[in-house]
Amino acid sequence: MKIKFWLLSAISTLLFSTSIPDRVQANPEILRDNVTSTLWWQLAVDNQMHLTKDRQYQGCVWGDSISSALGDSLGEQNFNFAIGGMSSVSLLEQLKDLIPNNFKCEKAIIAIGTNDAMYGISDEEFVKNMKEAIALLRSMGTQHIILIPAFYSTVKASYKPNLAGTITRVDEINALISQVSMSENVQIEAAGIKALFKDHALNESLTIDGVHLNAKGLDIYRQVLSTILISK
């Protein structure tokens, strides 16, 4: 199962990273999250349904390619549902597909927003999506929900609409995440990932392409999530 999990994670990340330039034109404001229409995303969710049916987990991670790169390294008592290309839009579809699968997560980490900063999503839609995602998690019995802020890219990558959202838009998305945290009474964990950034930008020594984390960056991020998952 671990091999299958890693293979699907690698394939989805590779396909997303190689296909996104074809979908991004000169006007990033019109870009939309369409990953749910792709075969690789559908296969990844089908695999998650197969692996998690009727299971009980200490923690579950929901996120995009940054989190999916961790694979199943967070321990067998936790499950990583992250898939490359995910935003708050596709998160809702993923949750709606998976909730009937009758699995339980005592704790949920939502690491979504990085791709929302690149996609042309309005503030109102993002807040609505995040609140709905939290409601769906609560409907399946999850009591402890933690939000992770959107990740900054390097300054250089932030100027390339085919790679990342602007630094300004990431700031705006993170302000919205803080707003959701307060209105929904859920925890936000911003301190731990600060080690990955420098002056509101991803540290260039921790990335492979200005957006995704290298091995050293993943080690830092893994420790942040592991600490959250084992905390009471």
Side-chain angles (χ1 to χ4, degrees), residues 43-222:
L43 289 173
V45 173
D46 284 346
N47 185 55
Q48 291 174 350
M49 293 177 67
H50 172 72
L51 294 176
T52 62
K53 184 172 178 58
D54 300 322
R55 295 287 302 276
Q56 176 101 22
Y57 296 100
Q58 175 182 309
C60 296
V61 176
W62 306 88
D64 52 38
S65 57
I66 295 173
S67 298
S68 70
L70 296 175
D72 59 0
S73 64
L74 296 170
E76 294 184 359
Q77 72 276 26
N78 303 304
F79 195 89
N80 186 356
F81 287 94
I83 303 175
M86 294 279 289
S87 76
S88 64
V89 175
S90 45
L91 173 63
L92 288 182
E93 297 306 311
Q94 182 188 26
L95 284 168
K96 290 173 183 177
D97 285 347
L98 287 168
I99 283 179
N101 211 32
N102 194 38
F103 67 95
K104 302 293 182 183
C105 298
E106 295 179 19
K107 182 181 294 187
I109 296 175
I110 305 179
I112 285 288
T114 302
N115 286 327
D116 289 273
M118 181 172 62
Y119 295 138
I121 188 170
S122 69
D123 291 358
E124 294 77 14
E125 184 182 3
F126 178 75
V127 170
K128 177 178 177 293
N129 290 346
M130 292 295 286
K131 288 184 175 181
E132 187 173 344
I134 290 169
L136 287 170
L137 287 169
R138 284 172 169 160
S139 74
M140 56 186 281
T142 303
Q143 299 297 319
H144 195 181
I145 299 172
I146 304 95
L147 306 181
I148 302 291
F151 278 63
Y152 294 100
S153 65
T154 61
V155 173
K156 183 178 180 180
S158 73
Y159 287 104
K160 299 180 179 180
N162 63 317
L163 285 179
T166 64
I167 300 296
T168 298
R169 186 54 180 160
V170 174
D171 280 336
E172 292 171 348
I173 290 292
N174 282 337
L176 296 174
I177 291 174
S178 294
Q179 177 184 321
V180 171
S181 171
M182 293 179 63
S183 65
E184 296 301 306
N185 193 29
V186 297
Q187 178 183 345
I188 185 169
E189 174 50 63
I193 63 171
K194 285 184 178 179
L196 297 168
F197 308 121
K198 182 178 181 181
D199 299 328
H200 279 221
L202 183 58
N203 190 321
E204 293 189 4
S205 68
L206 300 176
T207 178
I208 57 175
D209 57 3
V211 177
H212 300 93
L213 300 175
N214 60 20
K216 184 177 180 180
L218 286 173
D219 283 342
I220 294 172
Y221 185 43
R222 182 184 296 106

Side-chain angles (χ1 to χ4, degrees), residues 20-31 159-162:
I20 191 171
D22 297 328
R23 298 189 293 109
V24 181
Q25 305 301 324
N27 299 309
E29 67 274 12
I30 65 172
L31 181 65
Y159 287 104
K160 299 180 179 180
N162 63 317

